[in-house]
Amino acid sequence: MADLAEIARQAGVSVSTVSRVLNRKGGIADGTRQRVLEVLNQMPHTARGVGALRRTGVLGLLVPELSNPVFPAFAEAVESRASQAGYASMLCNTRAAMTEKEYVRMLLARGVEGMIFVSPEIANPDNDERRSRSYYEELGRDGVRMVFINGGAPSLDVPDITVDEHLAGHTAVRHLLDLGHRRIGFVSGPARALPSRLKRAGWAAGLEEAGVEPEAELVAHGAFSADGGAQAMARLLDGPKPTAVLCSSDVMALGAMGEAKRRGLSTPEDISVVGFDDIPMAAYCQPALTTLAQPIRDMAAAAVDELLRQLDPDTAEGASTSFSRMFRPNLIVRESTREI
């Protein structure tokens, strides 16, 4: 099992330098940092300190970003559940200073017992899915304990704690149909993203059940961000204007409402908007956002319990008996939708 001294020897640096790199401290030259990471990259995973081989009481938690409030919410919920079970968690933001793979190497070098990936790299539609799948398969073969939250990787033999995205799209459309809307648009995330595809399928199914033909011009794609939501909404409003829209996330919904306002349209008087996630600001924006809530605390608890089951199946208190679990989203009706 590799330790800091071995990494330092191969990189030609001091142990304290390796420690500073792994702990993301400043004052390290870019070349030195890269050399340390390259040494880690060249080591087989089994030489980096697979946590299952020793008990450290630490779990790794990897999230794709912290700017979207849904990810800090998941991180807080995972940390809370892990703490109840006597574990500490080490949080890594994989679109900040280091990539997901670099963070995985760092976590293994520090001896974490297992890892929870929230929206892991394989769920990123911009990545090569086959290469990403091969990477996670290699980790699994090397004995790394893993759980995904909203992993979007049904072909992988990794427990995945998910929310029912298809049901979210269907439920949102049924709510809008009940309010009298028939031209219902979809402010979608990237077309290749599995959550986008599933929500679109639910959107289409809900319309078809009501005898309404899903129209391709009522779907517009954007990044999972406020800017992405605004840009997608702009494309919808440049065509035959919908009376209501479902958005792939609350953050996209906030951008969509902002774009409608810039065009002189009021929400919900001129256009109703439904989000997804139920981030904290959803209840406090103007108007307060109708949304499909992910049961974040329940999902986080299921992920931690499943990881503990892998680590110690006989004594993991409260461990889930299911390999993967799908949770129902909850419709929360606020002020951004109304009857027409």
Side-chain angles (χ1 to χ4, degrees):
M1 181 181 298
D3 57 16
L4 297 187
E6 175 62 17
I7 297 169
R9 185 190 68 77
Q10 293 194 34
V13 298
S14 67
V15 171
S16 63
T17 296
V18 173
S19 179
R20 290 180 68 83
V21 170
L22 296 180
N23 285 289
R24 294 167 286 164
K25 301 294 186 181
I28 302 295
D30 289 343
T32 300
R33 173 183 172 278
Q34 190 60 37
R35 195 159 67 250
V36 171
L37 293 176
E38 285 175 356
V39 169
L40 276 173
N41 190 39
Q42 292 165 4
M43 292 179 176
H45 292 111
T46 50
R48 298 176 196 153
V50 176
L53 301 179
R54 55 189 173 122
R55 308 315 295 262
T56 61
V58 180
L59 306 178
L61 172 59
L62 300 99
V63 300
E65 59 172 306
L66 294 174
S67 57
N68 185 332
V70 73
F71 295 116
F74 269 116
E76 189 278 330
V78 167
E79 182 179 34
S80 176
R81 184 67 165 196
S83 178
Q84 292 172 13
Y87 281 80
S89 58
M90 188 176 297
L91 176 63
C92 303
N93 174 7
T94 62
R95 292 180 191 164
M98 296 165 66
T99 67
E100 181 182 284
K101 290 182 180 180
E102 289 173 336
Y103 272 124
V104 166
R105 296 169 200 137
M106 181 269 283
L107 291 170
L108 291 173
R110 296 191 66 81
V112 299
E113 295 190 37
M115 302 181 205
I116 294 174
F117 296 78
V118 183
S119 296
E121 183 179 278
I122 195 170
N124 185 339
D126 295 329
N127 291 332
D128 184 326
E129 182 178 347
R130 287 176 299 178
R131 182 176 298 176
S132 296
R133 184 170 62 248
S134 174
Y135 171 69
Y136 295 113
E137 289 171 345
E138 179 187 355
L139 290 176
R141 286 193 299 270
D142 286 342
V144 178
R145 310 304 190 202
M146 299 176 289
V147 175
F148 290 165
I149 295 179
N150 291 334
S155 61
L156 271 176
D157 189 24
V158 176
D160 191 10
I161 309 302
T162 63
V163 65
D164 192 334
E165 306 271 3
H166 185 281
L167 180 60
H170 187 274
T171 301
V173 167
R174 291 303 314 175
H175 168 65
L176 294 169
L177 288 167
D178 289 345
L179 294 176
H181 296 276
R182 290 297 181 269
R183 290 192 58 77
I184 300 171
F186 181 26
V187 172
S188 172
R192 290 177 53 208
L194 183 60
S196 300
R197 302 199 306 269
L198 292 174
K199 284 195 187 78
R200 179 169 181 168
W203 165 84
L207 290 173
E208 289 170 348
E209 288 173 9
V212 178
E213 182 69 24
E215 301 178 43
E217 64 265 29
L218 288 179
V219 178
H221 299 279
F224 288 117
S225 65
D227 285 345
Q231 292 163 9
M233 180 66 121
R235 287 191 287 275
L236 290 182
L237 296 179
D238 286 340
K241 184 173 74 69
T243 63
V245 295
L246 158 66
C247 299
S248 281
S249 72
D250 286 349
V251 172
M252 293 188 78
L254 295 177
M257 288 195 296
E259 178 62 24
K261 184 177 181 180
R262 282 190 288 275
R263 291 177 178 239
L265 301 176
S266 297
T267 303
E269 289 78 11
D270 298 312
I271 188 164
S272 289
V273 177
V274 179
F276 175 80
D277 283 333
D278 194 31
I279 61 177
M281 69 181 69
Y284 299 102
C285 62
Q286 294 296 323
L289 182 64
T290 295
T291 189
L292 277 298
Q294 294 195 70
I296 288 174
R297 300 201 73 82
D298 291 341
M299 294 172 68
V304 173
D305 291 347
E306 169 58 28
L307 190 57
L308 296 183
R309 188 194 66 78
Q310 293 183 44
L311 295 173
D312 196 353
D314 295 327
T315 61
E317 183 177 349
S320 169
T321 57
S322 61
F323 186 69
S324 294
R325 293 185 62 186
M326 179 176 287
F327 286 79
R328 293 175 62 90
N330 304 310
L331 176 65
I332 299 177
V333 179
R334 296 194 179 103
E335 299 166 1
S336 66
T337 54
R338 58 169 273 178
E339 288 184 320
I340 61 170

